[in-house]
Every structure is written in C-alpha cells, then in structure tokens.
Amino acid sequence: MTRVLPAETARRVLLVEDDPGDAFLVQELLSEVDPEVDLTIAGSLAEVLERELWAAADCILLDLNTPGTTGGLDSLRQLLRADPSAAVCVLTGLDDEYLGIAAVGIGAQDYLVKGKADGAVLIRAIRYAIERRRAEAGLVRLREEQLAAAESVRLERGLMPTPLLAGSGVAARTFYRSGRTRSVIGGDFFDAVRDPRGRVHAIVGDVCGHGPDEAALGALLRVSWRALVLAGVDESQVLPNLQEVLVSERHDARLFTTVCTVAIAPNGSDSSDGSDGAGGALVRLAGHPPPVLLGPPPRTDPPPVGLPLGIDPAATWQAAEMSLDAGWSLLLYTDGLIEGRGPVPDEPLWEEGLLRLLETHASTPLDELPGRLVELAEGFNGGPLADDVAILLLSGEHLS
C-alpha cells in the first residue's frame, strides 16, 4: 500500500549514519536553517529495520556505508524493500559520487556528497525528495483509480447490456444505480433478447452480497443466460442451467442469486411450453419480486416463488402464464427499489407501495418512468437507496 505523505512541510527526518562526527555535522547544519526539524539518528540500518523507524519519517538521509550491509547499494535496497514509498536521500563520500547516481536509478530521490552540502542544500534536498515522492504516490493512486474505473466500466457493460430485441416488436427501457454504500457497481443485472424462434426473453437478477466479486458473478450469470437463450435452450431448462453456472463459479458456497425471468410469445406463434401463442408471457421467480403489469390498474400475477438459485440443487421453478393485452407494459425490478423507507413511517415501500406509486403516476411517459420511480423511492427514503436498483421496463406498443 502506498504511504500517504503529509501535505505540509515535512519536519521528521531520519538520519542513518554510524559516524558520530558526520551525524553531529548534519544535525548542526539542519538546525541552523530550520530549528523545527525533528531529527532522529540511527547508527545502523539494522536498528532502523528492527524498530521500524522509517515508518515515522517524512524523509530518510541514508549513508550508503552503514554497518550491517555489504556496502554499495545494499542498504538502500533493504530500506526500499521495507518501505517502497520512502523518500530517501543517500549520502556518499567524496570519491563515491557515482554511487549516488546509481542510487537514484533504483529508487532514491536524490543524493548528497558529504562535505559539499550545507544546511540550505540539505533542507532543499529533503523537501524536494518528499515532493517528488508525493507526486509519484499521486500518480500511483491516479493509476489505481483509473484501473478501478476501467474495471467498473467492464462490469457495468456486463451487467447493463444493450437488449437484443430488433424485429421483436418489443421495446425496452432500462435503469441501473448502485447503492450509496459502495464505490463499485453491485451484483444486480438485467437483460432482454429475442431467441431464434422469435420469443422475447427477459431477466432481472440480484447476486447476494456486495463488491467486485459479486458484480463479476452477476455479469457472468447475465452473459450465461443470454448464451443459453440465444442457443435455443428450452425455456424450462434455462434456470436449472443457470444455477449450475452459479454453483460452479461462485467464490463462496453461501452465495445465492434471486431471479425473475419472463418469456414473451409473439402474436400468432405456436408454443410448446403452455402459452397460447396470443402474446402471453411465462413468468418464473427464484426468490425474486414478481413483475408488474402496468394495467390499468397496475397488478401482479406471480407464480409460486421458488428458491433462489444456489440454495438447493434439486430446486424447481414453476411458470405462470400472464396474458398481455395490446399496448401492454411490464416492469421488472430488483428489491433495492422497494426495500427503502416508504410513505408509512418505519415501513419499507414494498410491492404494495410500488403498485400505489404506479397507479398514482400512470400518466408518466414510459421513457421517464424507471427514473421517476427511483426518484420517488428516494424521496420516501430521505436520500439515496442503500441497495442497488435495476429496472427493466418492456412494452409492446410497437406490436402490429
């Protein structure tokens, strides 16, 4: 971990010098220029490492020929192994100036030749060393932040794909917001695709737990689900196959995932899974809130709720058929939307509160509805929702 150096002018200097005369000279030179410098003197590198004196120093003045080392650059290497972020200025003899140049090449910030440095030069070298090390640490942190941001974008792309619905007559609106307690995207995911037979399949899921591992698992489940659907796997076998993926890929045997899936048959199509081919939808729930048919009035017609994926390898998930009239709209969401505080004091919003919101705001355009629902839920909650929220709003207004 990169040590954060103080923002103010450094005062704590560690001198590693075994010659009492040279140590006294450095002390005097520093006190003449800056009496407030807090100088600690160690007679050997072994003492520095054993007592971890480097941890309390803003800058280290290191004699390259201290006892307990093989001379040359060995002492510097040992020190930098103990604290890679240390701001080090090496001290060399008059005939060892080349060592100072080599020391800078392996990590020292500067070098000083004994006998040629007065107090002003010492102070300036110390301050420059600290500023350079601080700048380097800032670049490291920036790079780490850039890598984290890039990873978040990759996870975001995995969790929030572009629905593949061309030619289906079904439109999709989506919304995703990670919870306020995390800086990385969470484990909620959604997707919607058209299968080779013309059916539209949709999924919304939520991996339990929070963090990059859960987000990566959510992205994997989403991609696996899409692959299963596009490969033409029978709708009834998609969730069992998805559970196998979860069990084989999760990093913790206690992890589970709640899921809602919907399979929408196009008008006039034949179906072998129980739908009548008249625009009906098959809904399966694995421990997940049911979808809402916007109506009017908004309503849910959920099947029996099965266990979440990853709980029981022998679990099954029954399907319920939902009739879709012309101009239908179907809302799928994760529980982060309804688990914040609702209009009733000390009570979450829950599904009943969501249905009331949808009825009250029935005139809200579909393009605006997902964001509006989150805005209203946050208003009841008194601030950002604690859990991730994923919303997938499907509609058939373009069906011929």
Side-chain angles (χ1 to χ4, degrees):
M1 181 180 294
T2 302
R3 178 149 57 98
V4 179
L5 297 174
E8 299 179 355
T9 301
R11 301 295 184 189
R12 300 172 301 173
V13 177
L14 171 63
L15 172 62
V16 186
E17 174 61 73
D18 65 310
D19 187 318
D22 286 345
F24 177 78
L25 178 60
V26 170
Q27 187 174 24
E28 289 298 307
L29 291 173
L30 290 176
S31 63
E32 287 177 3
V33 178
D34 190 347
E36 295 186 17
V37 168
D38 180 7
L39 181 66
T40 300
I41 300 174
S44 69
L45 184 62
E47 179 185 355
V48 173
L49 299 179
E50 181 180 349
R51 298 172 55 192
E52 297 187 351
L53 298 178
W54 47 265
D58 299 323
C59 183
I60 301 171
L61 299 176
L62 174 65
D63 181 359
L64 290 178
N65 294 308
T66 55
T69 67
T70 58
L73 301 176
D74 179 57
S75 58
L76 176 61
R77 291 192 178 97
Q78 290 188 48
L79 181 59
L80 291 178
R81 278 197 295 269
D83 183 8
S85 63
V88 182
C89 288
V90 299
L91 302 175
T92 70
L94 292 174
D95 57 349
D96 287 333
E97 188 169 352
Y98 76 95
L99 275 179
I101 298 173
V104 171
I106 67 171
Q109 296 301 306
D110 206 346
Y111 72 94
L112 298 168
V113 179
K114 294 180 182 180
K116 291 186 178 180
D118 58 16
V121 171
L122 273 172
I123 288 293
R124 185 164 60 249
I126 289 169
R127 291 174 179 169
Y128 285 179
I130 293 171
E131 289 303 321
R132 280 193 292 270
R133 179 56 79 189
R134 183 182 292 117
E136 291 172 2
L139 289 174
V140 170
R141 288 195 297 273
L142 176 61
R143 179 58 178 162
E144 291 172 348
E145 291 169 1
Q146 289 173 336
L147 290 173
E151 181 65 18
S152 291
V153 169
R154 286 192 290 271
L155 290 173
E156 200 170 302
R157 191 178 299 118
L159 294 164
M160 297 182 291
T162 301
L164 298 179
L165 300 177
S168 69
V170 175
R173 288 95 174 167
T174 63
F175 182 96
Y176 193 105
R177 179 173 294 169
S178 59
R180 65 181 177 185
T181 58
R182 294 177 301 286
S183 59
V184 299
I185 202 163
D188 290 11
F189 59 93
F190 62 80
D191 203 355
V193 298
R194 183 188 186 192
D195 73 10
R197 297 174 58 187
R199 278 201 205 98
V200 168
H201 296 254
I203 187 171
V204 168
D206 181 0
V207 179
C208 76
H210 306 296
D213 290 335
E214 288 73 18
L217 182 58
L220 175 64
L221 292 175
R222 199 280 305 168
V223 172
S224 299
W225 175 86
R226 177 178 280 203
L228 290 167
V229 172
L230 293 179
V233 172
D234 186 78
E235 186 274 339
S236 64
Q237 295 304 307
V238 170
L239 286 184
N241 279 276
L242 201 61
Q243 174 164 259
E244 289 186 16
V245 174
L246 169 65
V247 171
S248 66
E249 297 295 334
R250 61 187 176 185
H251 63 278
D252 185 336
R254 296 169 296 180
L255 278 181
F256 61 86
T257 300
T258 67
V259 165
C260 169
T261 64
V262 176
I264 302 170
N267 285 339
S269 70
D270 295 326
S271 176
S272 61
D273 53 23
S275 65
D276 61 6
L282 287 179
V283 180
R284 297 183 192 267
L285 300 180
H288 201 87
V292 178
L293 193 60
L294 297 192
R299 66 186 188 277
T300 60
D301 188 15
V305 181
L307 290 173
L309 304 183
I311 300 295
D312 180 1
T316 59
W317 298 275
Q318 298 181 39
E321 187 174 347
M322 179 181 290
S323 179
L324 301 177
D325 298 328
W328 60 268
S329 296
L330 193 62
L331 181 75
L332 290 75
Y333 61 94
T334 55
D335 57 12
L337 178 63
I338 59 174
E339 290 187 343
R341 291 193 297 270
V344 179
D346 301 320
E347 286 288 333
L349 181 62
W350 293 139
E351 297 168 21
E352 296 79 5
L354 177 61
L355 291 174
R356 287 193 294 269
L357 282 182
L358 289 168
E359 187 169 11
T360 303
H361 297 273
S363 61
T364 302
L366 292 182
D367 288 342
E368 302 174 11
L369 184 59
R372 180 59 176 156
L373 289 175
V374 174
E375 180 183 325
L376 292 167
E378 289 179 336
F380 291 131
N381 194 54
L385 300 171
D387 201 0
D388 306 316
V389 177
I391 297 176
L392 176 60
L393 176 58
L394 302 174
S395 62
E397 73 266 27
H398 300 300
L399 286 170
S400 57

